[in-house]
Amino acid sequence: MIIENIIANIDDFEREELERRHIERVYLESAHLLKRIQRVKTDHGNEIGIRLKSSRELTAGDVLFMDEKNLIMVDVLSDDILAIRPGSLKEMGTIAHQLGNRHLPAQFEAGEMLVQYDYLVEDLLKELQIPYTREDRKVKQAFRHIGHSHG
């Protein structure tokens, strides 16, 4: 089976609609959400080719296939992250500036700044006394590195 379009996201469906379908999952590393062409296996061992026509990236919960009985969706493996919880605007500005200078991709979720684990960033957070935790957490989107130079 070749998937060329994403049907919807699992969050768009009513609970009753999902309960009457058998759900298979394709587990991806968050970095693989950026790949438009890839071969994957579901948790039931079914092989699927993904060749997206649009430039849209995959996100957790994307439905790749659905019929009356079955549904195949994308799920994401946990990432080793730092969940940063600045206590003030000054702390947020300080850490955002420091991480921006390193061109480190970040995501924001429920008052937290999420970055992939890096021992140097952890040392910086300790030094600046900015509250954080190290966690294994599923993120909905890939951490996107943006190319840039100070040329």
Side-chain angles (χ1 to χ4, degrees), residues 27-68:
Y27 289 97
L28 299 176
E29 294 177 22
S30 63
H32 290 186
L33 295 171
L34 299 172
K35 294 171 74 175
R36 288 184 39 233
I37 300 172
Q38 56 188 312
R39 183 167 299 283
V40 297
K41 270 192 181 175
T42 70
D43 58 348
H44 289 62
N46 295 315
E47 201 166 287
I48 297 172
I50 299 174
R51 184 178 59 219
L52 299 177
K53 288 182 177 179
S54 71
S55 60
R56 181 187 181 284
E57 296 165 1
L58 293 168
T59 61
D62 279 346
V63 176
L64 302 175
F65 171 82
M66 185 173 71
D67 63 17
E68 290 302 315

Side-chain angles (χ1 to χ4, degrees), residues 82-89 91-92 95 107-115 130-133 135 137:
L82 294 170
I84 304 167
R85 298 175 191 90
S88 68
L89 187 59
E91 284 182 354
M92 178 51 117
I95 196 61
Q107 296 182 24
F108 298 88
E109 199 175 274
E112 298 176 318
M113 174 188 269
L114 308 178
V115 297
I130 295 176
Y132 75 95
T133 55
E135 304 174 10
R137 189 190 293 187

Side-chain angles (χ1 to χ4, degrees), residues 7 13 17 21 63-68 70-72:
I7 295 169
F13 293 97
E17 197 173 353
R21 288 188 170 84
V63 176
L64 302 175
F65 171 82
M66 185 173 71
D67 63 17
E68 290 302 315
N70 300 296
L71 183 143
I72 300 174

